[in-house]
Amino acid sequence: MKNISVIGAGTMGNGIAHVFAQTGFTVNLIDVSAAQLERAVATITKNLDRQISKGSLTEEQKKQALNNLTTYTSLIEGVAKADLVVEAATENTELKLNIFKQIDEFAPKGCILASNTSSISITKIAAVTSRPESVIGMHFMNPVPVMKLVEIINGYATDKAVTDTIVALSKQLGKVPCVVNDYPGFIANKILMPMINEAIYSLYEGIAGVEEIDTIMKLGMAHPMGPLQLADFIGLDVCLSILHVLYNGYGNTKYAPCPLLVNMVTAGKLGVKSGEGFYTYTAGSKDLVVSKRFL
Ligand code: NAD
């Protein structure tokens, strides 16, 4: 495997392109937006520079990684020579199904098709292609160059040889692969989102404040970040959407999203990306300030 196409040059796509390019693969980074591709290359360059300043990368390795990377606004051109496509476009079912129909048509016959989706069924994505046995979930964590885990999701039809290839490839990238089956939320979000939802319920029910809930989980459970702060980082809209996937997929009320989360998303308080969630975020400040609404 030599030639990797990454579709979507946002938060995850630029990180995925970064690790493949740094490991020596030829990387085709594809996005509908040329401006986003420019931003992605700037982000990758900045992150490679950070690795140099930490002593984990040389100037020569940075140069080589950037040489391995080509950007495309045309999906047809970008996947034409791929051995593996990793799709990391916006989390929208219709959009992803369309992208997979196109990749299936234009990527070479033996090419493996992977999705970095957080919550959409791999079996459903595979079903729109002519090669469901070659479709798999490759769920990287954010930030990709730093986080070790790759949750590998076997769709209903995924071939074992394809899983084995993706496991070996993840190890080659210096990651730790964990293989799971394709059910709502896979494993990472099936366990994480109910914890975040319970933290929000605890706040909603007045059992404790934002700082108390996060401090208890940080110091008591050795979590690097409390669940409310983590929810702000993930995006409260993303958390709500994954809870809907769990609730609808399992039909179990234990996944019902807390009304406070629903209200916050409706009010546009989405966490870090909107400047306010459980905390408020000011550009240039690293202080964690609880949102006035929760004081
Ligand atoms: P993002 O919004 O930062 O980036 C998505 C990119 O996809 C954008 O640059 C957009 O222009 C591009 N795009 C949209 N339609 C496209 C198309 N037809 N062809 C090519 N590019 C297209 O999103 P993200 O946070 O990077 O998430 C990407 C995927 O990764 C989603 O499936 C998400 O669920 C998953 N994911 C996200 C995280 C996270 O923490 N952000 C973690 C794990 C998995």
Side-chain angles (χ1 to χ4, degrees), residues 94-282:
E94 283 317 305
L95 180 95
K96 286 199 197 281
L97 296 184
N98 260 325
I99 290 176
F100 272 80
K101 279 183 204 159
Q102 286 185 63
I103 314 172
D104 187 36
E105 190 174 346
F106 297 109
K109 277 296 158 237
C111 176
I112 295 178
L113 314 184
S115 176
N116 184 54
T117 178
S118 307
S119 63
I120 298 168
S121 160
I122 299 302
T123 307
K124 186 171 191 166
I125 291 173
V128 300
T129 74
S130 63
R131 51 181 116 179
E133 69 288 347
S134 299
V135 178
I136 192 161
M138 205 175 178
H139 186 198
F140 288 88
M141 304 291 135
N142 185 18
V144 182
V146 177
M147 297 288 279
K148 285 277 179 204
L149 178 69
V150 185
E151 188 181 34
I152 294 173
I153 304 113
N154 276 332
Y156 191 83
T158 310
D159 203 281
K160 181 164 184 316
V162 169
T163 310
D164 292 346
T165 302
I166 296 301
V167 164
L169 181 69
S170 304
K171 288 181 184 166
Q172 201 183 334
L173 296 176
K175 304 293 183 197
V176 178
C178 281
V179 180
V180 308
N181 289 319
D182 181 30
Y183 288 101
F186 316 135
I187 283 295
N189 282 318
K190 182 175 185 286
I191 295 175
L192 175 64
M193 288 303 157
M195 182 187 77
I196 285 177
N197 201 32
E198 198 58 37
I200 302 172
Y201 258 113
S202 305
L203 180 68
Y204 169 72
E205 288 161 347
I207 301 172
V210 170
E211 274 181 316
E212 288 72 18
I213 292 169
D214 273 357
T215 304
I216 285 167
M217 296 305 285
K218 269 194 294 192
L219 301 186
M221 318 301 154
H223 291 189
M225 196 184 271
L228 299 174
Q229 189 190 357
L230 181 57
D232 273 359
F233 267 91
I234 294 170
L236 300 190
D237 51 340
V238 175
C239 294
L240 179 60
S241 140
I242 299 175
L243 280 163
H244 280 142
V245 168
L246 290 166
Y247 184 43
N248 295 332
Y250 288 104
N252 189 324
T253 51
K254 74 177 175 178
Y255 300 113
C258 175
L260 172 59
L261 174 63
V262 176
N263 265 359
M264 289 175 78
V265 173
T266 308
K269 307 296 181 193
L270 307 181
V272 176
K273 64 180 150 190
S274 73
E276 187 181 345
F278 297 103
Y279 298 88
T280 50
Y281 301 90
T282 318

